[in-house]
Amino acid sequence: MCAKVVEILSSEDLRRTLTRLASQIVERTRDLSQLVLMGIYTRGVPIAESLARQIEILEGVTVPVGALDITFYRDDLDKIGLRTPVKTDIPFDLTGKTVVLVDDVIFKGRTIRAALNAVTEYGRPEIIRLAVLVDRGHRELPIQADFVGKQLPTAKEEVVKVYLQDLDGRDAVELIGD
């Protein structure tokens, strides 16, 4: 049987969604000079970079972007399989900052729990917020995003796939199911 693929966000929809997320982050951040974005590998990193570019266009402020590998902080490696760690890159001090964690999809909440643990190894931010492109529900942990591009009710067995130009050669979000 062939999997059914439904396009949720086109390239243009994705661009608009990132612009809206950047605007929301600006509106909810008291002091943009204290804002840093932390992308969670893999797709959270280019999304964070896109948000930083958009914030610079909107406000004329350069927002530092870091990249966070959470492999060693996960509690579900037995379920998701072995991963090759990438280098965490945080070229700034997190202490006292407003950190916005950025990821592509939030599902069970385990990735974000691991990211929260990882961030505290690198400093003590004043506040940590979460921005996700897609929230598909089915949380196992009490974690909610502060900024959501698209709420997408899904069945647990469905898959949300985010494609980004830098990694995949195209921009889109698809829902894959039976």
Side-chain angles (χ1 to χ4, degrees):
M1 188 165 178
C2 204
K4 180 179 167 192
V5 178
V6 177
E7 184 176 75
I8 302 302
L9 296 175
S10 67
S11 176
E12 186 61 22
D13 295 332
L14 189 60
R15 185 193 60 75
R16 278 192 208 103
T17 300
L18 291 172
T19 299
R20 185 170 36 80
L21 281 172
S23 295
Q24 290 174 358
I25 291 168
V26 166
E27 287 171 10
R28 296 233 353 242
T29 304
R30 271 197 331 265
D31 183 357
L32 289 177
S33 71
Q34 296 301 306
L35 176 64
V36 298
L37 302 177
M38 294 292 302
I40 300 170
Y41 280 113
T42 298
R43 284 171 174 71
V45 175
I47 293 170
E49 291 165 348
S50 293
L51 291 171
R53 282 191 300 274
Q54 190 59 38
I55 290 169
E56 187 162 10
I57 290 167
L58 292 170
E59 297 294 315
V61 175
T62 302
V63 177
V65 177
L68 192 61
D69 177 26
I70 58 154
T71 303
F72 296 121
Y73 298 91
R74 295 196 70 109
D75 66 355
D76 59 353
L77 283 175
D78 58 326
K79 289 185 176 70
I80 64 168
L82 229 43
R83 302 249 168 125
T84 304
V86 228
K87 186 175 180 344
T88 289
D89 179 24
I90 305 175
F92 41 79
D93 184 11
L94 296 179
T95 304
K97 300 287 188 197
T98 296
V99 174
V100 177
L101 291 173
V102 180
D103 205 7
D104 58 347
V105 178
I106 186 169
F107 183 28
K108 297 177 181 179
R110 296 195 174 278
T111 296
I112 305 309
R113 187 216 44 88
L116 289 167
N117 288 347
V119 163
T120 61
E121 298 276 325
Y122 294 96
R124 182 150 185 341
E126 181 175 318
I127 190 167
I128 301 173
R129 293 203 170 112
L130 174 60
V132 297
L133 189 59
V134 178
D135 182 345
R136 60 169 296 191
H138 303 288
R139 226 61 93 242
E140 292 176 357
L141 299 170
I143 293 173
Q144 299 300 321
D146 299 283
F147 311 104
V148 177
K150 176 85 174 162
Q151 292 278 351
L152 182 63
T154 63
K156 277 191 175 183
E157 61 277 0
E158 291 176 314
V159 174
V160 174
K161 182 74 176 140
V162 174
Y163 298 95
L164 299 173
Q165 186 67 43
D166 294 348
L167 300 172
D168 309 300
R170 67 183 178 120
D171 287 331
V173 176
E174 295 176 346
L175 179 64
I176 303 166
D178 294 332

